[in-house]
Amino acid sequence: MRLNRAWIESRIPHHGRMCLLDEVIAWSAERVSCRSGTHREADNPLRAYGRLGIACGIEYAAQAMAVHGALIAGGDLADQGAPMIGSPAAGPPGAGPPAAGSPAAGFLASVRGVRFHSLRLDDVQGDLICDAVRMAGDANTALYEFELRSDATQLLCGRATVVFDAGLKAGASAREFR
């Protein structure tokens, strides 16, 4: 069973029309693949002047990264039958269920090496597939590579850095964060 929009909305900070992803189609501890058809909707909240520019694809990727954070944080996935990359039922060899807990709040700190292979998303006829792969990270940051495609056509790709719980801790001085 794939994880649907209701599951996604209950675990990322984007709700209603601003939740751009329709479902998680596969995932592992290192990666996630999500599907969306929201780029074709006339009331997509990222549209400007009746168009959805390709740079908006970065927000689709950021939401996929947030979903990945929720997936690897764990919780109730065993009951959901979440598909894992490798084997639809069992996941890759040696991959157990996600660790229990809730994901830390993440903030998109930077995007690098972004390549646009199209001008717009709203004129893409097929569904969007967003793949995000966690390349490195620790308790404070994560580095992802991402790709947005439709069918076999790559629309954009790049890297993103996510910083978790970036706010100043109570009692900490600004000097500790330099």
Side-chain angles (χ1 to χ4, degrees):
M1 179 171 101
R2 294 181 175 180
L3 300 175
N4 64 18
R5 183 182 186 87
W7 185 93
I8 293 169
E9 280 194 56
S10 72
R11 284 158 180 86
I12 68 171
H14 302 83
H15 301 97
R17 291 185 5 240
M18 197 54 212
C19 177
L20 302 175
L21 304 175
D22 292 324
E23 69 179 335
V24 176
I25 55 178
W27 69 278
S28 73
E30 295 82 28
R31 65 186 317 132
V32 67
S33 293
C34 300
R35 184 193 64 76
S36 178
T38 63
H39 62 291
R40 295 184 298 257
E41 296 174 1
D43 65 346
N44 184 303
L46 299 181
R47 278 185 182 247
Y49 305 104
R51 296 178 177 207
L52 186 63
I54 190 67
C56 296
I58 295 170
E59 178 61 27
Y60 283 82
Q63 289 189 24
M65 292 174 225
V67 165
H68 187 250
L71 285 163
I72 62 175
D76 60 334
L77 294 177
D79 296 333
Q80 293 289 330
M84 292 183 72
I85 294 169
S87 166
S102 61
F107 301 92
L108 192 61
S110 72
V111 292
R112 307 259 172 144
V114 177
R115 294 185 185 165
F116 300 126
H117 301 285
S118 180
L119 295 175
R120 297 169 48 182
L121 292 175
D122 58 301
D123 58 3
V124 173
Q125 296 301 311
D127 285 346
L128 300 178
I129 303 297
C130 186
D131 296 318
V133 180
R134 185 174 172 148
M135 304 303 294
D138 56 27
N140 300 311
T141 61
L143 174 65
Y144 280 90
E145 286 187 353
F146 61 86
E147 175 187 65
L148 191 66
R149 59 188 161 81
S150 182
D151 298 321
T153 304
Q154 186 180 62
L155 301 169
L156 71 88
C157 61
R159 294 183 318 279
T161 301
V162 178
V163 176
F164 304 111
D165 294 329
L168 289 177
K169 297 176 185 173
S173 71
R175 186 174 28 203
E176 292 179 55
F177 293 93
R178 290 186 192 167

